[in-house]
Amino acid sequence: MKKIAKTFSVLFCAGALCVLNSCTIQQDAYSKRTVSVSGTGSVTIEADTATIILSVVTRGKDVAETSEENAKKMTAVQDAVIKTGISKECISTQNYSVYQESHYDNKTGRQIPDDYRVTNQIKILVKKINTASDVIDVALKNGANQLSSLTYGVTDTEIAKKQARSLAIQQAQEAANLLAGASGANLGKVLSISEHADYAYPRARLMKTTANADMGMIEAEEAVSTPVSGGSSTVTVSVDAVYQLK
């Protein structure tokens, strides 16, 4: 009987020791205090390029003649743009389409074929931003009759990214120090850090300009008068960081 009691006592002590050890491990796992912060840094830089997207749109009864007319006008547009100092490599075709328009006849209940519409859209990269307005004017005067968009960009943003990143980290660390001091702790090492970047470039008002090919008149839903200005671009970097508290 005594031997059984001793055995039970040993087992009970071993079980109690196991339970105590388990609680200690859990406490160690949650004993580390941390603080989570975020920081944002923004750097403003001047735009140095412009991208123009415009088209030549022609309409006609004969698809071959309409396509030929479009080709002649687009050739004139590109030649004129090149004379402003734009290289051929900076002009590329964005879209080319040919389709026949139609309208609905209420009397017959059928779609009636109309003129053929040919659209040739090109993208022009302007590396000298102060000449963007001249390029637009020249293109419109030489046959372009649809101006879709004018956007601005920055050739090199790497330096601005680095500066914005440094500002974001500095702001996060200042916030962590403030919170640590307010809680009576000291700031420890960084446990984790992640980055989120946002590069916002200036964009001109979206333009959709249509032309009456017969009358040669341009009507704009949202016209942008020349001269135009590129303005500035903003590069923003945000970081999320977790610091250890001592």
Side-chain angles (χ1 to χ4, degrees), residues 162-222:
K162 291 179 181 178
Q163 293 174 344
R165 187 178 293 115
S166 296
L167 292 172
I169 294 173
Q170 180 181 344
Q171 188 183 80
Q173 189 167 11
E174 289 175 354
N177 275 313
L178 181 62
L179 292 172
S183 63
N186 293 319
L187 193 64
K189 62 182 180 180
V190 179
L191 298 178
S192 67
I193 188 167
S194 59
E195 177 184 310
H196 312 280
D198 178 25
Y199 313 125
Y201 301 125
R203 181 182 180 93
R205 295 175 64 196
L206 180 62
M207 296 169 289
K208 189 176 181 181
T209 310
T210 57
N212 186 320
D214 296 329
M215 300 180 64
M217 298 177 63
I218 295 176
E219 299 173 347
E221 292 176 5
E222 288 188 9

Side-chain angles (χ1 to χ4, degrees), residues 104-158:
Y104 182 76
D105 190 330
N106 291 323
K107 293 181 179 179
T108 62
R110 296 179 179 179
Q111 291 288 343
I112 306 301
D114 289 326
D115 291 347
Y116 287 96
R117 176 188 172 104
V118 179
T119 303
N120 191 351
Q121 185 181 76
I122 61 171
K123 179 174 73 173
I124 305 170
L125 176 63
V126 182
K127 295 182 179 180
K128 294 182 179 179
I129 199 169
N130 60 333
T131 64
S133 59
D134 295 334
V135 173
I136 293 173
D137 290 341
V138 165
L140 294 176
K141 289 177 182 177
N142 285 272
N145 50 12
Q146 189 176 79
L147 180 58
S148 300
S149 67
L150 168 62
T151 58
Y152 297 96
V154 179
T155 304
D156 186 7
T157 60
E158 289 305 314

Side-chain angles (χ1 to χ4, degrees), residues 42-110:
S42 297
V43 175
T44 301
I45 48 180
E46 293 297 320
D48 58 6
T49 63
T51 300
I52 303 166
I53 296 180
L54 51 80
S55 307
V56 171
V57 182
T58 53
R59 292 182 176 87
K61 300 294 183 183
D62 185 271
V63 63
E65 292 179 357
T66 306
S67 298
E68 184 179 356
E69 179 189 0
N70 189 288
K72 290 180 179 179
K73 287 186 176 181
M74 179 53 77
T75 299
V77 168
Q78 293 192 23
D79 289 343
V81 168
I82 290 172
K83 287 181 180 179
T84 65
I86 304 295
S87 64
K88 291 183 179 181
E89 292 75 18
C90 292
I91 303 174
S92 59
T93 301
Q94 286 289 97
N95 181 49
Y96 185 86
S97 63
V98 179
Y99 72 94
Q100 188 173 22
E101 297 176 329
S102 62
H103 71 275
Y104 182 76
D105 190 330
N106 291 323
K107 293 181 179 179
T108 62
R110 296 179 179 179

